[in-house]
């Protein structure tokens, strides 16, 4: 656990840079994390996914899977990969300021 | 006046709930009805062993109705839907059952058809599942004829029942092919949508190296979009490809079908949004849910279901007495993980505390946590009689509390849990 500074705000992050307290998050922080993860501009479509991820995590306590995102975020899975290349579930979670999707071990 | 409690599902959760409630209430105080669409109660942890010929199908299936105590009505029926306005369960045959309290214990359904190509040509020849008894038996027969090539084990997406089962399958496959003297002829690859085989920081640290030692390859962050079973290829949404000669797939999971037909009951995947501590559903105050059917952020596992049982039946009692519910379920799960060669790991965790090293159930306990041991393996095997004779009847197990205990664990500062 360490502290990182995003958009001038110090926040708690884990070893991989995922925020550990979703309440410390704001939109400027999201933009900076995105820029550091090869996403130059957050579009309206990106925000649909990010906002859905936060709502889902705050409601259920777990990060949504790719399939849940594809079914419920309003953005189809193919497009998720265009918006958040490589691993949308993980990368969007990082930008949304929630822990990464994990198994039980 | 007598109350009517209806339970949908006679698996682990429905059975132990019915039996506990029957002990709580005299027959004239509550009528208890359990509904299921068949009479086969499957000991699900046994499915892992069937493909390796370590368990026989007849040894892991018993009658559902015979696990229910006297004074519980078992209805063999398909549920069409639940309507909360009139507190009624509508059955597919057109009849209906009213309730004062409803418990959704209907587990998950496997959405095998939802992955493009998985059940197309090659399904049942090169591609199998082991989460159904038929699938596990068919895979056993295919494995017995498999002499060389690429075995791929693929978790298509989370959440799944028993999230460690795919790992256990890999470890047992490594053992199985060594026993047959052909391990060097077989490549074993584990394919997961997560970013590692072990994703919890402490477990990852303690178990690092297990895959290398057992020479199991890992393909992480692979979200399977479609399967060409005939040609033997997994294709991800971002067009990566993984070839296989034999596939053990863990299909997508969703809630029971009637959940989707019941307005307001389930989420997009058909799981029931449930208070993680009280087990009351969000759908209606007199509707509760237990086990795999819920959306709780803990593992879908019999162990979680077992520990939920205490909280659930206590809260049903409080609800019927007009009292405030208590949020006593903490996300506790305890499970043995087969690692092959007559050894197993043990993990014990809850919503807040990830699997930690130490001893179980206390500092002087016989079972090591997060470490392979022979005793853990024996305990896993010994569990089946407990399941039928103590867990399903709803009896407490000596030394095993419903709430997780830190006794014996080596504490590590941990981030807030996010258990799959």
């Amino acid at each position: 656990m360490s502290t990182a500074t995003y958009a001038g705000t110090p926040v708690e992050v884990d070893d991989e840079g995922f925020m550990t307290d979703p309440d410390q998050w704001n939109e400027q922080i999201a933009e900076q994390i995105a820029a550091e993860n090869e996403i130059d501009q957050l579009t309206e479509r990106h925000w649909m996914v990010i906002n859905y991820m936060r709502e889902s995590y705050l409601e259920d306590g777990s990060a949504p899977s790719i399939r849940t995102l594809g079914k419920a975020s309003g953005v189809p899975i193919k497009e998720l990969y265009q918006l958040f290349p490589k691993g949308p579930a993980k990368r969007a979670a990082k930008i949304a300021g929630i822990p990464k999707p994990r198994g039980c071990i | 006046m007598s109350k009517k409690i209806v339970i949908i599902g006679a698996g682990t959760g429905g059975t132990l709930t019915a039996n506990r409630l029957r002990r709580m209430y005299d027959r004239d105080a509550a009528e208890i009805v359990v509904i299921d669409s068949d009479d086969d109660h499957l000991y699900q942890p046994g499915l892992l062993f069937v493909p390796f010929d370590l368990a026989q199908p007849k040894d892991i299936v018993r009658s559902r109705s015979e696990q229910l105590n006297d004074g519980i009505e078992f209805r063999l029926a398909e549920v069409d839907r639940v309507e909360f306005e009139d507190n009624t369960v509508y059955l597919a045959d057109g009849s209906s059952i009213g309730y004062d309290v409803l418990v959704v214990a209907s587990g998950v359904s496997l959405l095998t058809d939802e992955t493009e190509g998985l059940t197309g040509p090659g399904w049942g020849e090169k591609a199998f599942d082991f989460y159904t008894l038929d699938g596990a038996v068919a895979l056993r027969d295919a494995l017995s004829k498999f002499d060389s090539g690429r075995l791929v084990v693929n978790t298509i997406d989370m959440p799944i029942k028993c999230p460690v089962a795919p790992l256990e399958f890999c470890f047992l496959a490594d053992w199985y092919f060594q026993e047959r003297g052909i391990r060097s002829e077989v490549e074993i690859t584990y394919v997961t949508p997560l970013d590692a085989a072990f994703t919890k920081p402490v477990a990852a640290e303690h178990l690092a190296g297990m895959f290398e030692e057992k020479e199991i390859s890992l393909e992480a962050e692979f979200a399977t979009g479609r399967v060409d079973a005939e040609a033997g290829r997994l294709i991800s949404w971002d067009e990566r490809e993984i070839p296989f000669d034999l596939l053990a797939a863990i299909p997508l999971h969703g809630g029971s079908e009637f959940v989707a037909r019941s307005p307001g009951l389930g989420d997009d995947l058909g799981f029931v949004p449930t208070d993680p501590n009280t087990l009351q559903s969000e759908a209606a105050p007199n509707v509760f849910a237990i086990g795999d059917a819920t959306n709780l952020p803990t593992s879908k596992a019999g162990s979680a279901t077992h520990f939920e049982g205490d909280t659930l039946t206590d809260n049903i009692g409080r609800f019927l007495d007009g009292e405030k519910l208590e949020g006593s379920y903490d996300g506790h799960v305890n499970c043995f993980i087969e690692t092959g060669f007559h050894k197993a790991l043990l993990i014990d965790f809850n919503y807040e505390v990830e699997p930690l090293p130490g001893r179980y159930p206390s500092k002087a306990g016989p079972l090591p946590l997060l470490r392979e041991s022979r005793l853990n393996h024996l305990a896993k095997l010994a569990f089946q009689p407990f399941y039928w004779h103590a867990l399903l009847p709803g009896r407490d197990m000596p030394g095993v509390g419903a709430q997780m205990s830190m006794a014996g664990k080596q504490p590590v500062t941990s981030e807030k849990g996010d258990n799959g």
Side-chain angles (χ1 to χ4, degrees), chain B residues 69-84:
Chain B
N69 290 352
D70 288 349
I72 296 168
E73 183 188 340
F74 180 65
R75 282 285 287 271
L76 200 57
E78 195 84 51
V79 172
D80 179 60
R81 68 191 188 283
V82 177
E83 290 191 10
F84 308 122

Side-chain angles (χ1 to χ4, degrees), chain B residues 57-130:
Chain B
K58 66 174 170 46
D59 299 332
I60 59 172
V61 182
R62 295 189 183 185
S63 155
R64 292 189 193 276
S65 50
E66 283 172 19
Q67 314 312 315
L68 296 169
N69 290 352
D70 288 349
I72 296 168
E73 183 188 340
F74 180 65
R75 282 285 287 271
L76 200 57
E78 195 84 51
V79 172
D80 179 60
R81 68 191 188 283
V82 177
E83 290 191 10
F84 308 122
E85 288 73 24
D86 55 1
N87 295 315
T88 301
V89 178
Y90 291 87
L91 303 177
D93 64 10
S95 60
S96 62
I97 308 175
Y99 60 81
D100 293 295
V101 166
L102 177 72
V103 178
V104 181
S106 44
V108 305
S109 38
L110 299 180
L111 309 176
T112 315
D113 290 332
E114 226 180 85
T115 301
E116 188 187 331
L118 181 57
T119 51
W123 177 245
E125 289 162 32
K126 277 172 123 172
F128 301 86
D129 82 283
F130 63 95

Side-chain angles (χ1 to χ4, degrees), chain A residues 1 14-16 18-20 22 52 57 59-68 71-73 76-78 81 85-91 98-105, chain B residues 111 114 157-159 163-164 167 194-195 197-201 203 207 221 223 237-239 252-253 268-269 282 295 297 299 337 347 349 355 370 414-420:
Chain A
M1 208 86 81
D14 70 10
D15 296 343
E16 294 176 78
F18 285 80
M19 289 176 63
T20 54
Y52 174 79
Y57 177 78
E59 178 87 3
D60 300 343
S62 56
S65 66
I66 294 271
R67 180 173 52 128
T68 308
K71 268 190 190 289
S73 70
I77 295 179
K78 274 276 172 202
Y81 274 93
K86 293 176 192 162
K90 187 175 166 186
R91 198 168 276 205
I98 65 173
K100 73 173 186 181
R102 287 207 165 105
C104 68
I105 183 170
Chain B
L111 309 176
E114 226 180 85
D157 205 353
M158 303 297 285
V164 295
L167 298 173
L194 298 173
D195 69 349
F198 303 109
T199 55
K200 293 282 184 180
L207 304 176
E221 287 191 85
W237 289 100
D238 54 347
E239 303 298 335
L252 294 171
H253 284 37
D268 294 300
L269 301 179
E282 290 175 15
N295 74 336
S299 290
I337 303 168
I347 56 174
F349 59 94
L370 264 189
S414 153
E415 58 197 277
K416 191 167 180 274
D418 172 28
N419 299 316

Side-chain angles (χ1 to χ4, degrees), chain B residues 222-383:
Chain B
F222 187 96
T224 303
R226 59 200 161 93
V227 179
D228 184 344
E230 202 170 24
R233 291 184 307 156
L234 296 178
I235 304 115
S236 71
W237 289 100
D238 54 347
E239 303 298 335
R240 284 159 65 193
E241 286 196 15
I242 294 173
F244 63 80
D245 298 301
L246 185 62
L247 173 69
I250 295 86
L252 294 171
H253 284 37
S256 189
E257 285 172 15
F258 84 87
V259 175
R261 292 191 295 262
S262 305
L265 183 58
D267 65 15
D268 294 300
L269 301 179
F271 298 118
V272 178
T274 304
D275 184 288
N277 304 117
T278 67
L279 304 176
Q280 188 177 42
S281 80
E282 290 175 15
N286 61 338
V287 177
F288 292 78
I290 184 169
D292 298 349
T294 68
N295 74 336
L296 300 188
T298 190
S299 290
K300 295 194 180 301
S303 163
T305 306
H306 170 213
F307 296 135
E308 289 162 16
D310 261 358
T311 299
L312 177 68
T313 49
D314 287 354
N315 275 339
I316 289 172
R318 290 187 187 101
F319 176 82
L320 288 174
D321 290 343
E323 291 171 14
K324 194 171 176 294
L325 306 188
E326 276 185 23
S328 52
Y329 181 61
D330 64 353
H332 188 196
V333 182
N334 176 291
C335 55
F336 294 101
I337 303 168
E338 278 293 296
T339 54
F341 302 91
H342 317 296
K343 289 184 178 174
L345 296 161
L346 174 62
I347 56 174
D348 190 65
F349 59 94
N350 69 12
Y351 290 138
E352 302 293 330
V353 179
E354 67 182 283
L356 296 175
R359 316 260 337 156
Y360 187 84
S362 62
K363 215 168 179 175
L367 304 175
L369 291 163
L370 264 189
R371 195 154 61 72
E372 284 185 272
S373 94
R374 213 177 151 74
L375 203 53
N376 284 341
H377 165 73
L378 294 174
K380 178 157 180 142
L381 294 186
F383 186 73

